[in-house]
Amino acid sequence: MTPRYEEQDGVGVHDALQRLWTPHRLSYVRGEGKAVGDEPEGCPFCRVFGLDDDEGLILARGESVFAVLNLYPYNPGHLMVLPYRHVPDYTDLTPAETVEFAGFTQRAMRVIRAVASPHGFNIGMNQGVVAGAGIAAHLHQHVVPRWGGDANFMPVIGHTKVLPQLLGETRQLLADAWAEMG
């Protein structure tokens, strides 16, 4: 899809800059959908696995964990692996959950490599609010594909992340590849 640029008369001196509108980010800026408290009832991750896969951006469901696209991705294909159980800490996982959690992370990497050929990955989880967890009450691990040169001036100067594909399209691509890999 080719970006659509628009000019608007009567708003000041033309500066020759193109405007990249990201209205979907406004809900993130406003804090909409953030966790309310530490209980499952206020947890967006607990809500998402009750949705259908397309609506919830769910890529795959296992016995005790699932994979979902990050609603506010750092890069295309940025996904998360989560347990169904509402637990805050990695040490709270049962041995069976830990095995499936690790297996889903490996599979996520294979799927993203097959679909998008990243040069590397950032994989990790932030344990606790002070460690940077946006939703600390429900354990989640990020799998972020990386390409050389993917971090340009936009996030630093413009506080904007440019993503070349809509989340629904990314979800379908990765979900199909996940299913094909058996």
Side-chain angles (χ1 to χ4, degrees):
M1 182 164 72
T2 305
R4 187 171 149 207
Y5 299 107
E6 295 184 15
E7 292 186 26
Q8 185 174 355
D9 284 337
V11 294
V13 177
H14 179 69
D15 59 13
L17 296 176
Q18 299 291 340
R19 297 322 192 252
L20 179 63
W21 302 106
T22 58
H24 61 281
R25 299 280 302 162
L26 189 56
S27 62
Y28 179 77
V29 171
R30 289 180 176 158
E32 296 170 9
K34 285 280 190 187
V36 179
D38 291 338
E39 300 305 314
E41 295 76 30
C43 178
F45 294 148
C46 289
R47 281 194 310 270
V48 76
F49 68 75
L51 302 174
D52 69 42
D53 291 355
D54 287 340
E55 185 180 1
L57 299 175
I58 295 169
L59 302 169
R61 297 172 187 259
E63 293 293 317
S64 59
V65 303
F66 67 106
V68 62
L69 282 183
N70 189 311
L71 190 55
Y72 305 105
Y74 295 129
N75 271 344
H78 176 177
L79 62 86
M80 296 176 293
V81 176
L82 302 96
Y84 291 116
R85 279 193 321 123
H86 185 83
V87 297
D89 198 88
Y90 187 64
T91 61
D92 293 332
L93 294 179
T94 67
E97 287 170 328
T98 303
V99 169
E100 191 175 28
F101 195 85
F104 260 56
T105 301
Q106 290 177 325
R107 186 138 176 213
M109 292 175 66
R110 289 184 186 108
V111 165
I112 294 169
R113 279 188 179 128
V115 169
S117 303
H119 301 140
F121 289 90
N122 289 120
I123 297 174
M125 56 184 104
N126 302 324
Q127 296 283 262
V129 174
V130 299
I135 301 173
H138 196 133
L139 176 69
H140 56 285
Q141 178 165 261
H142 295 265
V143 178
V144 183
R146 299 299 307 269
W147 293 267
D150 65 12
N152 60 28
F153 69 94
M154 291 296 284
V156 176
I157 304 297
H159 301 284
T160 301
K161 187 68 184 176
V162 179
L163 299 168
Q165 191 173 47
L166 296 173
L167 287 175
E169 294 171 0
T170 303
R171 193 215 74 81
Q172 191 63 55
L173 189 66
L174 293 176
D176 290 348
W178 195 291
E180 286 174 16
M181 289 188 164

